[in-house]
Amino acid sequence: TDRSRARGRLTRRPPGALPTRAARMAATVTVEPAGRCLWDEPVRIAVRGLAPGQPVTLRASLRDEKGALFRAHARYRADATGQLDLERAPALGGSFAGLEPMGLLWALEPEKPLWRFLKRDVQAPFAVQLEVLDGHEPEAGRLLGRAVHERPVRAGRVRATLFLPPGPGPFPGVIDIFGVGGGLLEYRASLLASHGFATLALAYYDFDDLPTRLDSIHLDYFEEAVSYMLQHAQVKGPGIGLLGISLGADICLSMASFLKNISATVSINGSGLSGSTDIRYKQTCLPRLGYDPRRIKVAFSGLLDIVDVRNDVVGGCEDPSMIPIDKAQGPILFIVGLDDHNWRSEFYAQLASDRLQAHGKEKPQIISYPGAGHNIEPPYFPLCPASLHKLVDKPVLWGGEPRAHSKAQVDAWKQILTFFCKHLGGTQKRASPKL
């Protein structure tokens, strides 16, 4: 049941109504679907009870798990009936402009500089506060209405958390791996589970009793994760899918190259190389490519640009640090941000394609997005253009232009789901995941 606070007490709302504290205010903010929904679901935001043609400002805000404030605002004008529907009304300025129904989410910016929007405790929802203010001044306008919209993801915490779709199963399985930040990030896995995939959010360092530093990558640990998935009664074989971003993508490409029972792999801005750490499996060691700190540039903003910091690839696609993806049994999808400033993802994806074709394999699917940076997240996550890099221990540029990056995230997520459905046998039925 939807609930909201009105006049200081908890009240029930009829089905379809949205939680709002507008009892003494002139306008009503509504969000559909009402109640909680998952972060990658689009919502419809509207305001009624305004004067015809009234100028207003819509403001969105939320606090993350560490209390950091994220805010966005946009200026609008009500229609002739005193209503405002963000699916039909273009923003006249603010954090964004034009027809952007989800702009108040993807345009959220941290009040604290260089702070990345992340979700670690997926049992607790994010609560986005939506406010409508009179006029076009986001700080000075009189508050007309307010609503609170929760966007949850659900799970528990272990070295790896398995999210299962509801129902009897078994379900196609996916292992989800993040980058050099370490720890356990579960939000993407929980969203995948809501689309019908049994998804394992896998930590590999700096979590629980795992190593606190990443000196080398040993694939036997990841092989155990594959075995766990395939032995689980709710995971259907004979193979599983892999999804990774950045270093996590390179781990996934390595798993696909050395391990058995990998049916499909998605690399989001991976490099296809053993970059800053050795990659080991049994008697095989891929030496690290390494980097030269003298190649770090300082951008006009004063932030570091590390896009060219890696050492040059020698010997093209046969460089000894190259992951031998020609040994992979299943197809690979490369998602590429053309404004990636972590490294040159477009060049590396082409290098991987060259290697596959040089060894008689089919050309892989590469989907490139102009204006998209390094951290391509699920839909409507706000862009993080710069933040602290764990390896260099300084703030660096990640790249990306907010509008283009947001649109890339929506399309990339659809492409990933379609790819896994095709090669793992999923159905994309939407439901709430469970542990």
Side-chain angles (χ1 to χ4, degrees):
T1 303
D2 291 329
R3 297 176 297 177
S4 65
R5 295 189 182 275
R7 297 179 181 173
R9 58 190 177 88
L10 198 64
T11 61
R12 292 181 183 272
R13 296 271 175 188
L18 182 82
T20 178
R21 288 188 288 181
R24 296 181 179 178
M25 301 175 188
T28 302
V29 186
T30 62
V31 181
E32 296 177 351
R36 296 183 176 186
C37 68
L38 298 177
W39 193 272
D40 66 336
E41 292 183 60
V43 295
R44 185 169 187 169
I45 301 171
V47 184
R48 64 177 184 270
L50 300 170
Q54 181 176 356
V56 294
T57 298
L58 265 64
R59 185 168 65 189
S61 63
L62 67 78
R63 290 190 180 273
D64 70 6
E65 293 155 347
K66 295 187 177 181
L69 179 65
F70 287 76
R71 303 177 75 177
H73 75 277
R75 295 184 285 274
Y76 292 93
R77 190 173 296 277
D79 65 16
T81 66
Q83 298 188 63
L84 176 64
D85 183 347
L86 269 58
E87 287 193 349
R88 295 181 296 175
L92 305 177
S95 301
F96 56 92
L99 189 62
E100 296 290 345
M102 294 294 291
L104 288 170
L105 292 184
W106 63 251
L108 286 166
E109 293 185 350
E111 188 176 59
K112 182 179 180 180
L114 308 176
W115 195 259
R116 185 178 175 186
F117 181 86
L118 286 176
K119 192 80 180 80
R120 294 188 182 275
D121 180 8
V122 297
Q123 292 184 349
F126 274 137
V128 181
Q129 180 170 271
L130 300 171
E131 298 174 311
V132 55
L133 301 108
D134 188 24
H136 282 167
E137 295 297 328
E139 303 301 330
R142 178 173 62 92
L143 182 63
L144 301 175
R146 177 188 290 126
V148 176
H149 178 56
E150 293 186 344
R151 302 183 70 85
V153 262
R154 307 171 181 85
R157 289 185 59 196
V158 290
R159 285 187 181 183
T161 302
L162 178 62
F163 294 86
L164 295 174
F171 309 98
V174 175
I175 295 179
D176 184 31
I177 305 176
F178 276 82
V180 76
L184 180 63
L185 294 175
E186 301 170 325
Y187 59 88
R188 193 168 62 194
S190 69
L191 293 174
L192 275 173
S194 76
H195 287 277
F197 299 97
T199 310
L200 191 73
L202 184 61
Y204 56 97
Y205 91 106
D206 199 21
F207 178 76
D208 200 17
D209 58 350
L210 295 172
T212 56
R213 294 185 52 176
L214 191 64
D215 296 320
S216 60
I217 295 168
H218 294 271
L219 293 181
D220 54 347
Y221 170 76
F222 300 92
E223 188 172 37
E224 291 178 18
V226 173
S227 297
Y228 168 79
M229 288 290 280
L230 290 176
Q231 291 170 10
H232 198 286
Q234 294 298 306
V235 178
K236 72 176 184 181
I240 62 168
L242 304 175
L243 172 61
I245 184 170
S246 192
L247 174 60
D250 291 337
I251 292 173
C252 289
L253 292 172
S254 301
M255 293 169 68
S257 301
F258 288 102
L259 308 183
K260 297 178 180 179
N261 301 314
I262 306 300
S263 297
T265 303
V266 177
S267 165
I268 303 175
N269 283 329
S271 73
L273 291 154
S274 178
S276 301
T277 57
D278 298 336
I279 298 176
R280 300 175 180 271
Y281 181 64
K282 296 182 178 179
Q283 304 304 313
T284 301
C285 175
L286 298 180
R288 66 190 70 186
L289 181 67
Y291 64 93
D292 184 352
R294 295 173 299 181
R295 301 173 77 166
I296 296 176
K297 296 176 287 189
V298 180
F300 180 76
S301 61
L303 297 169
L304 300 185
D305 189 343
I306 61 171
V307 67
D308 291 317
V309 74
R310 279 187 163 188
N311 291 330
D312 294 333
V313 174
V314 178
C317 63
E318 300 299 330
D319 187 286
S321 296
M322 189 85 185
I323 298 168
I325 59 171
D326 50 284
K327 297 180 181 179
Q329 297 301 306
I332 302 172
L333 169 62
F334 290 92
I335 301 291
V336 174
L338 295 181
D339 193 36
D340 186 351
H341 278 256
N342 185 66
W343 51 47
R344 298 196 179 277
S345 294
E346 182 185 22
F347 168 75
Y348 290 137
Q350 186 56 53
L351 197 66
S353 177
D354 292 344
R355 172 142 189 154
L356 286 170
Q357 294 176 82
H359 288 261
K361 297 295 185 74
E362 289 186 6
K363 186 177 181 180
Q365 185 179 7
I366 301 174
I367 304 177
S368 300
Y369 295 99
H374 187 66
N375 295 314
I376 297 178
E377 300 270 27
Y380 315 121
F381 272 67
L383 168 68
C384 177
S387 68
L388 184 72
H389 193 294
K390 199 161 187 176
L391 289 184
V392 300
D393 198 30
K394 291 181 180 178
V396 304
L397 293 169
W398 300 115
E401 185 278 319
R403 186 192 301 267
H405 190 90
S406 175
K407 294 186 182 304
Q409 289 183 157
V410 172
D411 187 74
W413 190 243
K414 292 178 182 177
Q415 298 286 352
I416 291 167
L417 294 174
T418 299
F419 180 79
F420 280 145
C421 282
K422 179 180 179 180
H423 298 290
L424 301 179
T427 60
Q428 283 205 56
K429 289 183 179 179
R430 194 64 194 255
S432 298
K434 62 180 179 178
L435 276 175

